[in-house]
Amino acid sequence: MKITSFNPLIVTKDLEGVARLFETLGFEKCHNPAGESAIGNEYTSYRMTDANGFHVDVATSSGASEQDFTGIRMNVDDFDEAYDFLIARGFINGQNGTVTETCSAKACMLFSPSGFGINLIQHLK
């Protein structure tokens, strides 16, 4: 398994407000995926990048709580290998055991035994 990117993720009910904050810090929206997760939650996300190549993802979901959630986005070259690796170390699938698959990506939110989240993603080519 190769990690291809690794950066903070903020899930919020105030997508535009949080994105504006990061724009004032020099980040620009460079990708805007949206759709429906495997458990039926609608989501919208901004992949944001600054001039130094740093990334932050800001997302909203119809399943999000009122309080913001901060986690990690981890892109990998082999979703199944990374998923099995994390599950073997006590991570729990936060999507009731399902994986979201679109024409361009395979993804799932996983939670560690201590509670931090990893949004595991493989982009399909």
Side-chain angles (χ1 to χ4, degrees), residues 8-115:
L9 160 71
I10 301 167
V11 180
T12 180
K13 289 286 189 187
D14 185 16
L15 178 67
E16 296 304 326
V18 174
R20 276 192 305 277
L21 169 66
F22 280 93
E23 286 173 327
T24 64
L25 294 169
F27 286 80
E28 295 180 3
K29 297 172 189 169
C30 60
H31 185 50
N32 181 217
E36 184 177 310
S37 74
I39 58 173
N41 292 333
E42 296 293 323
Y43 65 87
T44 303
S45 171
Y46 292 128
R47 174 92 166 144
M48 301 182 77
T49 305
D50 77 354
N52 297 308
F54 293 114
H55 300 281
V56 63
D57 286 10
V58 181
T60 192
S61 166
S62 60
S65 67
E66 290 303 315
Q67 184 172 345
D68 289 357
F69 163 79
T70 305
I72 300 166
R73 169 186 172 147
M74 186 169 84
N75 285 21
V76 295
D77 66 341
D78 186 328
F79 181 91
D80 295 328
E81 181 182 5
Y83 183 91
D84 291 344
F85 177 89
L86 293 170
I87 293 294
R89 282 152 182 83
F91 280 73
I92 297 170
N93 181 320
Q95 297 180 182
N96 299 324
T98 63
V99 173
T100 301
E101 294 190 54
T102 68
C103 61
S104 63
K106 192 172 183 179
C108 165
M109 181 61 75
L110 299 166
F111 292 96
S112 76
S114 65

